[in-house]
Amino acid sequence: MMKIKHEVSERHVLTITVDNEAGILAKIAGLFTARGYNIDSLTVADISENHAVSRITIVTHGPPAQIDQIHAQLGRLVPVHKVLDLTEMGAHVERELALVKVAGTGEARVEALRIADVFRAKVVDTTTASFIFELTGTPDKIDNFVGLMRELGLVEVGRTGIVGMMRGAEGA
């Protein structure tokens, strides 16, 4: 009988500092696609005063050998300056922003506002029949908020994806 080896899939948060040039995001996404790796979350933004450098944050998962391979392949791409695995490096902070639209009247409307207050969600738009809440926090916090709003008239959710940063005084 042949034994099948199942490697444990681990979640990793990678930050990639790159030249801010056309096509770099496509190159990085193509690297994942060509090898069948999944991207759970992807964010990118300009981080330099002269708009020359961007930071890409990718959340992915896979067995340790696959994560090592992703790290090595990203490091070989020409416009990539630095690849950091926040998960491997230790204590870090992760946050995500969500806009959550909820429709409802009467008691459901009151309950949506009460729950939003508990989660420290901010009302950024309102009509007599709906709210749009802005919420920042960990992905779990946002998942929990969305789950509760689903019971009260959830209409739509928009999420930014995760950004992460190492704790402490040192820069990446």
Side-chain angles (χ1 to χ4, degrees):
M1 176 167 26
M2 182 178 199
K3 287 187 179 180
I4 299 174
K5 183 179 177 185
H6 293 285
E7 290 191 79
V8 176
S9 183
E10 299 175 345
R11 178 182 176 275
H12 285 259
V13 179
L14 307 174
T15 63
I16 308 145
T17 308
V18 298
D19 286 340
N20 189 8
E21 62 182 46
I24 183 56
L25 188 57
K27 280 183 185 179
I28 290 173
L31 184 148
F32 277 76
T33 302
R35 289 156 183 83
Y37 304 151
N38 193 40
I39 296 175
D40 298 327
S41 172
L42 172 71
T43 61
V44 61
D46 175 13
I47 61 168
S48 61
E49 193 173 334
N50 65 357
H51 309 290
V53 179
S54 289
R55 179 179 176 140
I56 299 171
T57 304
I58 294 177
V59 179
T60 189
H61 62 275
Q66 179 179 312
I67 299 299
D68 291 343
Q69 188 176 34
I70 290 170
H71 192 283
Q73 290 168 345
L74 286 170
R76 282 198 279 287
L77 290 177
V78 170
V80 171
H81 296 279
K82 189 184 326 183
V83 179
L84 297 175
D85 186 337
L86 299 183
T87 308
E88 294 282 323
M89 293 177 68
H92 63 279
V93 175
E94 295 177 25
R95 291 294 181 270
E96 185 175 9
L97 168 78
L99 294 176
V100 180
K101 185 185 290 185
V102 179
T105 57
E107 192 56 39
R109 186 173 173 86
V110 172
E111 183 64 5
L113 281 172
R114 188 189 68 72
I115 291 171
D117 187 51
V118 170
F119 278 80
R120 295 190 179 113
K122 178 180 171 186
V123 175
V124 294
D125 185 68
T126 187
T127 68
T128 57
S130 68
F131 291 109
I132 297 177
F133 297 106
E134 175 186 289
L135 177 67
T136 59
T138 64
D140 286 343
K141 176 183 177 181
I142 292 172
D143 289 343
N144 290 335
F145 182 77
V146 168
L148 291 169
M149 290 300 149
R150 205 168 258 119
E151 300 173 25
L152 298 172
L154 180 71
V155 174
E156 186 177 0
V157 178
R159 295 174 77 153
T160 60
I162 294 166
V163 293
M165 193 171 284
M166 293 304 302
R167 295 191 64 206
E170 303 300 314

